Amino acid sequence: MKLRIGVGLGPRDPADPVTFGDLVVHMEQLGVDSLWLPDLLGGDLPDPLVGIGYAAGRTSRLKLGSGVTVLPGRNPVAVAKELATLAALAPGRILPVFGVQHATARERPLFPIPGPRGEVMDEALTVVRLLLEGEDVSYEGKYHTLDHVTIGPRPARPLDLWLGGGGPRSLRRVGRLGDGWLGAALTPDEAAEARRTIEAAAAQAGRTVDDDHYGMSLIVAFEDEPGRDFGALRRRRPDVDIAELVPTGWAATRTLIGRYAAAGVSKFVIRPATTPRSWATFLAAFAAELKPLET
């Protein structure tokens, strides 16, 4: 398995003079594998797909992912067109990851959906894949109907469509419909079990998920950070010691990555627990401390 480690971008300190464009150029200069943008309406972070397009124009090697883009509530035809355009402009560098619902509860009503989230997700994902892979697509589902639709330019090689989520239904969906998995808030042992669930669902559906298409999003904390109560994470996972999910310091991060790798996870998205005083300083430390782990 090829072990790769990317950066999940979070908010910037208003006093930090480094712009988003400066950051993506700096990442490429440091040899960072990938940049990942969250799907959040609030704050000063760019929309993930718009941000990916801008970053693609400022770089030539940096891979660019959406971690994760919520698909239900979006028009899957428009999403397919956006992804096809990005893939044509930055071949081999676009890494879409889709999720079922926004992490922030107050944002969910802003994206109305016509039915149960799981059903809408399955159908929308099917539509996106059909349009990215087919030249003349007709489809009649419960929520979407296509009549001889073609988008262009279609990618020369179909994009891998990864999925997030950690519950049983989400994991089985990865096996049935996804090309990879990006998990979060799971211990290494739980990640290993999640991989087994995905593999079993894929086998039942007569398909496979590539051996190195299993990833984990990790929050990294540091001793000198104020206000690190991890309230939302503690409410989400009251059954787990936070240290099992959030390493403190680079040495602990390397150790935890090693444990995940032993569990069959080889792709990582690292984001700081709090807003760095300087993203440039954080990225330099990231490259020095974690890039040597890549294989």
Side-chain angles (χ1 to χ4, degrees):
M1 298 188 300
K2 293 182 179 179
L3 195 151
R4 295 289 185 268
I5 309 174
V7 173
L9 192 65
R12 291 187 300 113
D13 187 325
D16 187 348
V18 179
T19 67
F20 177 69
D22 294 335
L23 283 176
V24 298
V25 171
H26 190 44
M27 287 183 190
E28 177 140 296
Q29 292 170 342
L30 290 170
V32 174
D33 176 74
S34 54
L35 164 66
W36 299 79
L37 297 176
D39 191 1
L40 297 171
L41 290 179
D44 63 353
L45 291 173
D47 172 88
L49 295 184
V50 174
I52 285 172
Y54 179 83
R58 295 293 302 270
T59 58
S60 60
R61 298 183 304 277
L62 183 70
K63 295 195 285 290
L64 303 159
S66 61
V68 299
T69 296
V70 179
L71 191 53
R74 285 186 164 90
N75 183 326
V77 178
V79 171
K81 173 66 175 182
E82 290 162 352
L83 290 178
T85 302
L86 289 169
L89 296 173
R93 295 202 286 144
I94 306 304
L95 309 172
V97 183
F98 293 115
V100 174
Q101 67 179 7
H102 287 83
T104 305
R106 65 177 177 272
E107 293 189 354
R108 294 170 196 164
L110 303 177
F111 294 84
I113 57 175
R117 282 190 177 274
E119 286 186 3
V120 175
M121 174 70 174
D122 288 358
E123 194 169 294
L125 185 64
T126 298
V127 169
V128 171
R129 188 181 295 282
L130 287 171
L131 289 170
L132 289 174
E133 297 181 359
E135 186 172 347
D136 183 10
V137 177
S138 294
Y139 175 83
E140 185 169 353
K142 187 174 180 180
Y143 307 108
H144 304 92
T145 299
L146 307 180
D147 184 17
H148 297 288
V149 176
T150 300
I151 62 167
R154 285 188 300 115
R157 178 185 179 279
L159 284 172
D160 287 333
L161 305 180
W162 287 40
L163 305 180
R169 284 184 294 181
S170 293
L171 296 173
R172 289 194 293 270
R173 179 180 292 111
V174 179
R176 290 187 294 106
L177 299 173
D179 299 310
W181 172 63
L182 182 65
L186 297 176
T187 69
D189 288 344
E190 291 169 337
E193 181 60 31
R195 175 168 176 154
R196 288 191 287 268
T197 299
I198 293 169
E199 290 172 335
Q204 188 173 12
R207 59 194 305 271
T208 60
V209 174
D210 286 355
D211 193 51
D212 65 350
H213 279 35
Y214 294 86
M216 185 61 55
S217 181
L218 285 181
I219 301 170
V220 177
F222 298 94
E223 293 287 358
D224 61 346
E225 292 173 332
R228 295 183 298 113
D229 61 358
F230 303 113
L233 185 57
R234 291 182 190 278
R235 289 189 294 273
R236 180 179 176 184
R237 295 302 313 270
D239 55 323
V240 177
D241 181 357
I242 288 295
E244 280 287 290
L245 304 174
V246 182
T248 298
W250 295 115
T253 302
R254 291 192 296 271
T255 298
L256 190 55
I257 286 175
R259 292 177 59 200
Y260 280 113
V265 175
S266 62
K267 303 296 184 286
F268 297 90
V269 177
I270 305 296
R271 66 179 180 89
T274 61
T275 302
R277 295 186 183 92
S278 165
W279 267 98
T281 300
F282 173 84
L283 290 173
F286 167 93
E289 299 284 352
L290 299 186
K291 271 195 63 62
L293 297 180
E294 294 185 334
T295 57

